[in-house]
Amino acid sequence: MERSLVLIKPDAMQRRLAGAIIIRLEQRGLKLVAIKVLHLDKALARRHYAVHAGKPFFDGLVDYVSSAPIIAIIFEGESAIEVVRETMGATDPAKAEPGTIRGDFGLDIERNTVHGSDSVETAEEEIKLFFSQDEIFNYQNEVDD
Ligand code: IDP
Ligand code: MG
């Protein structure tokens, strides 16, 4: 079973889209196993996006994701990483398919509403940045059977 770290980014929180986004991911069959509201400080924002350090958009991205509270969620399920990425759509909302979260709600390539892990390895690292073990829940959904 895979896990993906999802962030509901400041632009979505500002527009009260958190519920609409969570519903879409639950409806794909993903199980919510951890969730919290937090205000990222710049140090954590830089660590989370470390792979983009040095790119022209890095400083702006760090300012944006630390500008207001966000929600961090762990979704679990079969192929959770791919399912989340498909449901989010392309990075640039203008290129994302209609019906995807970013296609429907994204504002621009930076303020694109959600984050989802891009591989099993990055998911593990990202989950450790945001959650301790006792904040992550193991439980069965009856529909799983
Ligand atoms: P992803 O979120 O689809 O994995 P990445 O390329 O990993 O996309 O970029 C991380 C985040 O950085 C994006 O979600 C977006 O918020 C921001 N970003 C990516 N490319 C640009 C850009 O060209 N200008 C401004 N912000 C960008
Ligand atoms: Mg990425």
Side-chain angles (χ1 to χ4, degrees), residues 36-65:
K36 65 170 77 162
V37 179
L38 74 163
H39 197 146
L40 280 194
D41 59 28
K42 293 202 175 170
L44 185 53
R46 279 194 204 97
R47 283 182 70 188
H48 174 67
Y49 282 121
V51 66
H52 298 299
K55 294 187 186 165
F57 61 83
F58 183 69
D59 290 344
L61 175 62
V62 168
D63 285 347
Y64 153 64
V65 286

Side-chain angles (χ1 to χ4, degrees), residues 9 49 52 57 61 64 85 91 102 109-110 112 114-116:
K9 291 177 168 179
Y49 282 121
H52 298 299
F57 61 83
L61 175 62
Y64 153 64
R85 298 235 13 139
T91 306
R102 286 165 164 175
I109 193 166
E110 178 182 78
N112 59 1
V114 275
H115 166 84

Side-chain angles (χ1 to χ4, degrees), residues 11-125:
D11 66 281
M13 297 295 285
Q14 291 293 310
R15 290 177 290 148
R16 303 189 178 172
L17 291 170
I21 291 164
I22 292 169
I23 283 174
R24 288 183 180 212
L25 293 163
E26 285 187 310
Q27 285 176 337
R28 294 299 311 274
L30 296 166
K31 178 161 65 178
L32 199 161
V33 298
I35 185 165
K36 65 170 77 162
V37 179
L38 74 163
H39 197 146
L40 280 194
D41 59 28
K42 293 202 175 170
L44 185 53
R46 279 194 204 97
R47 283 182 70 188
H48 174 67
Y49 282 121
V51 66
H52 298 299
K55 294 187 186 165
F57 61 83
F58 183 69
D59 290 344
L61 175 62
V62 168
D63 285 347
Y64 153 64
V65 286
S66 58
S67 66
I70 62 165
I71 292 177
I73 304 173
I74 302 172
F75 276 109
E76 189 178 276
E78 228 171 276
S79 305
I81 287 159
E82 194 187 338
V83 171
V84 167
R85 298 235 13 139
E86 267 179 19
T87 311
M88 291 197 309
T91 306
D92 183 351
K95 296 185 180 134
E97 296 284 330
T100 62
I101 295 168
R102 286 165 164 175
D104 292 350
F105 301 131
L107 296 174
D108 55 40
I109 193 166
E110 178 182 78
R111 295 173 298 167
N112 59 1
T113 311
V114 275
H115 166 84
S117 306
D118 66 6
S119 72
V120 173
E121 295 72 36
T122 46
E124 277 174 18
E125 286 167 23

